Amino acid sequence: MEYRTDFALSLLSGIFPVGVQLFLWNAVYGSSQESVYGYTKLEVIGYTLLAALFAKMMATGFEYEISKDIKDGQLSKFIVQPIRYGPYRLSRFLGEKGPQLIVLAVLAGIACVLLRNYAGLDITGTGLLLCAAALIVSVLLNFLIYYCLSTVSFWLLEVWGIFYTFALISLLASGGVFPIDMFGPVVQQALGVLPFPYLVFFPVHIALGRVDGDALLQGFGVQFAWIAVLIALTGALWRAGLRKYESAGG
């Protein structure tokens, strides 16, 4: 009951920033502008709702547990036992995330139906299936990003500030607050070579029917390319961190 209540309260708390954004966009489009940065009012409202749900799907938290394991020496039991720490963390992450993803997927589906029927947005069944596939890859990609980031705990004792700051930057860079193409072409091109836009911005655009053809294939290609890069990078950092790791006592 405690975990269910915590998840329900976290969903309710997410309503407030979304509400603030909706008031903001109403004010922006109140000046009778039909399109802002290529988005109509209904499109940007649809983006805001879906981005909030998708960003919630990407939320982690296990990086703090990894930091505590390293700091307190609890990592030692995984070193001496035939259990690989990476697969263990991934299985725990997916196990905890599974029920949340189901609830959020249902809410996202309801939002898409409402946006299609009442806002007239170009949301199709094929687009939703491709969006679901992109979200599955995004969850794995985001896990690897934070799992890689957690290796900083081998060299620093207090890392909560780094994790918190990185989470805020990731939220903005992934398009969880505003569409990244509103930041201008220079910023969009710079972010395009990073994995962050493919966590939220890319799946939302698929759902809204703004990505197709070569851009769709390129987006999936970048996702899988970054997964391969992060697997290799994380392995190298963990090997280096284990050489630095020290533990004493029980």
Side-chain angles (χ1 to χ4, degrees), residues 11 18 48-58 104 107-109 111:
L11 285 179
V18 172
T48 299
L49 293 175
L50 292 180
L53 289 171
F54 292 176
K56 191 67 178 175
M57 292 183 184
M58 298 299 120
L104 291 170
L107 293 176

Side-chain angles (χ1 to χ4, degrees), residues 21-155:
Q21 285 183 265
L22 293 180
F23 280 115
L24 170 64
W25 291 121
N26 278 325
V28 170
Y29 284 91
S31 59
S32 71
Q33 298 185 45
E34 295 184 358
S35 178
V36 176
Y37 292 101
Y39 291 85
T40 64
K41 180 179 179 179
L42 292 177
E43 285 177 334
V44 80
I45 289 176
Y47 182 95
T48 299
L49 293 175
L50 292 180
L53 289 171
F54 292 176
K56 191 67 178 175
M57 292 183 184
M58 298 299 120
T60 58
F62 65 86
E63 62 273 15
Y64 295 95
E65 297 176 5
I66 294 177
S67 176
K68 187 176 184 299
D69 283 347
I70 295 173
K71 182 179 178 181
D72 297 345
Q74 296 298 316
L75 185 63
S76 300
K77 64 183 179 183
F78 296 96
I79 297 176
V80 299
Q81 294 177 358
I83 301 175
R84 296 186 62 186
Y85 193 71
Y88 161 75
R89 275 296 165 193
L90 177 60
S91 63
R92 280 202 58 174
F93 172 70
L94 294 178
E96 294 173 356
K97 206 72 178 172
Q100 297 181 13
L101 289 175
I102 293 173
V103 174
L104 291 170
V106 171
L107 293 176
I110 294 173
C112 287
V113 171
L114 293 176
L115 290 171
R116 181 185 63 186
N117 294 340
Y118 297 100
L121 299 184
D122 186 21
I123 298 176
T124 64
T126 302
L128 291 179
L129 289 176
L130 291 171
C131 174
L135 282 172
I136 293 172
V137 182
S138 296
V139 169
L140 178 58
L141 177 59
N142 198 48
F143 169 83
L144 289 170
I145 290 173
Y146 279 89
Y147 188 67
C148 184
L149 177 66
S150 68
T151 60
V152 72
S153 302
F154 284 112
W155 291 274

